[in-house]
Amino acid sequence: MSILARYLAREILGSILVALAALLMLFAFLDFINEVTSIGPSYTLSVALLYILLMMPTHVLEVLPAATIAGALFAFARLSGSSEFTVMRASGLSVGRLAGYMTLLGLFIAALSHALGEYVIPHTEGTAHQIKTRATTGVVAQQFRTGLWAKDGASFINIQEMLPDASLRHMRVYIFDEHFRLTTIRHAEQAEWDADGSWRLVNVVQTRISPQGTQTEHLPTMQWRSDLNPDLLAVLMIPPERMSVQALRTYVEHLRENRQKTTRYEIALWSKLSFTLASPVMLLLALPFAYSTPRSSHVGGRVLIGLLIGLAFHLFNRLAGHLGLLYDWPPAASALSALVVFSLGAGLALWRVERR
């Protein structure tokens, strides 16, 4: 890599880190305001601060496109204001060469964001929700390959699958007495939440264990009350948007093998690719602003434009995903539509710069 490319990368990455830090401070403040209302005897201030800290990697991935374009616009505005960019152009730096630099830098940022979303966020976000749930409800739960395990009083609950309508499939309940002896094993093919605040278990096989032996009975339905409810389970179970790429691929294959609908998880899988490749597109979108007259807009105005473009990309991506799920569009088309539209916009803007 040339000296010029390293210099540009250092300036732009530094500005991106500043923009990212500012956005994270804003999110941390908003999270703190939201968590203050939940502070109590168990959910103390220190636990709330730990929860906010563990949620920071998630916010990094969410605001990275906006921070990338805002930081790049700030760096280009500073280089233009000090006439450094004018000297670079006079030295023969072409639009195509600069676009190549931005693409390589964007791919580097994309690789870092992929590693963050694949190896860091699933653990930090899961831990954050576990800490908050344990402190606010007393329910202890953990996600494993065998499904979600939760402790509710003297019972241990294993849930293999939670559907979008909040119903559960293949649930087991292990009930212990006060001496920690296993007394009952209950298996239900399906569980549905009723309006009276209890679960209706369907196709139940219940085994009672006593010193005299075991007794098994089959019940078509039965009511079961627990502190676990759909809202709590939605927090404990990792949503598709927060799952790693490998976990999504594995789960999509599992759903296909069982002839179940995979649209939501496929959209989440393609959306991860879209967000990963957003950084190169954001840098290419920022590049045309470097060729504008330094006095044509203030630095603050450019940064605001960058934030608005990043926000528009995020909203467009979310809207396309919801519409694709609602109207059953092809997952790849709905998830990548925002990336394609903004890539075309960047290409058109660079073409106009080249024409001038």
Side-chain angles (χ1 to χ4, degrees):
M1 183 180 290
S2 65
I3 296 177
L4 178 59
R6 290 199 299 270
Y7 176 72
L8 286 173
R10 185 170 63 251
E11 291 293 316
I12 293 173
L13 284 176
S15 299
I16 290 173
L17 288 177
V18 172
L20 185 61
L23 290 172
L24 289 179
M25 288 178 63
L26 175 62
F27 270 86
F29 175 74
L30 295 176
D31 285 347
F32 179 75
I33 296 298
N34 185 56
E35 295 304 317
V36 162
T37 58
S38 302
I39 291 178
S42 300
Y43 191 56
T44 61
L45 178 61
S46 59
V47 176
L49 292 176
L50 179 60
Y51 171 80
I52 294 171
L53 180 63
L54 289 172
M55 289 299 295
M56 282 298 104
T58 302
H59 294 323
V60 169
L61 205 61
E62 291 174 345
V63 304
L64 188 57
T68 298
I69 189 170
L73 286 173
F74 178 79
F76 284 137
R78 189 171 51 173
L79 291 173
S80 298
S82 61
S83 300
E84 291 182 73
F85 193 71
T86 303
V87 174
M88 294 178 191
R89 293 173 59 189
S91 302
L93 182 62
S94 65
V95 176
R97 186 180 172 190
L98 188 55
Y101 289 161
M102 294 301 101
T103 302
L104 290 176
L105 180 60
L107 291 176
F108 171 73
I109 298 174
L112 293 180
S113 66
H114 173 74
L116 183 67
E118 191 74 5
Y119 304 109
V120 178
I121 289 178
H123 301 289
T124 56
E125 186 171 355
T127 303
H129 289 314
Q130 293 293 333
I131 292 173
K132 182 175 180 180
T133 301
R134 184 180 304 178
T136 55
T137 66
V139 176
V140 182
Q142 182 64 51
Q143 184 82 13
F144 294 99
R145 290 185 179 180
T146 54
L148 176 74
W149 285 87
K151 180 179 181 296
D152 180 15
S155 302
F156 287 85
I157 303 147
N158 175 229
I159 301 169
Q160 293 290 321
E161 186 177 350
M162 180 178 179
L163 302 182
D165 62 356
S167 62
L168 311 177
R169 288 189 176 180
H170 302 294
M171 184 185 72
R172 287 183 172 87
V173 182
Y174 300 88
I175 303 175
F176 293 79
D177 62 15
E178 64 275 8
H179 301 293
F180 305 104
R181 290 190 295 256
L182 182 63
T183 59
T184 305
I185 300 176
R186 187 178 297 148
H187 174 263
E189 290 188 4
Q190 190 168 345
E192 299 173 351
W193 183 254
D194 282 345
D196 63 353
S198 64
W199 292 95
R200 186 173 67 89
L201 308 184
V202 181
N203 293 333
V204 181
V205 178
Q206 183 168 266
T207 303
R208 298 185 181 275
I209 303 172
S210 64
Q212 290 75 30
T214 60
Q215 181 182 359
T216 301
E217 58 180 336
H218 297 260
L219 304 171
T221 61
M222 70 173 297
Q223 297 299 122
W224 175 60
R225 290 191 174 275
S226 170
D227 289 338
L228 290 177
N229 55 58
D231 293 335
L232 180 57
L233 287 173
V235 173
L236 295 174
M237 300 290 282
I238 299 176
E241 293 76 19
R242 298 289 183 257
M243 295 171 66
S244 65
V245 172
Q246 183 59 39
L248 281 170
R249 291 178 57 185
T250 302
Y251 196 64
V252 167
E253 292 176 1
H254 166 74
L255 292 177
R256 286 175 177 169
E257 290 174 358
N258 290 273
R259 298 181 180 180
Q260 298 179 39
K261 195 173 182 62
T262 62
T263 305
R264 183 187 179 191
Y265 295 90
E266 287 189 83
I267 289 177
L269 180 60
W270 284 103
S271 294
K272 280 191 167 290
L273 176 62
S274 174
F275 249 79
T276 300
L277 296 178
S279 295
V281 175
M282 294 296 110
L283 289 178
L284 292 176
L285 277 171
L287 185 55
F289 290 90
Y291 289 87
S292 60
T293 305
R295 296 181 181 179
S296 63
S297 61
H298 297 290
V299 174
R302 293 190 179 190
V303 173
L304 179 60
I305 291 173
L307 293 175
L308 292 176
I309 292 175
L311 178 62
F313 176 82
H314 180 76
L315 294 178
F316 195 143
N317 195 61
R318 293 288 298 273
L319 177 63
H322 287 301
L323 290 177
L325 187 62
L326 181 62
Y327 294 106
D328 205 20
W329 293 344
S334 58
L336 298 178
S337 58
L339 186 68
V340 172
V341 170
F342 280 76
S343 298
L344 292 175
L348 178 60
L350 290 174
W351 176 77
R352 292 185 62 182
V353 169
E354 186 71 27
R355 288 283 303 267
R356 287 189 299 182

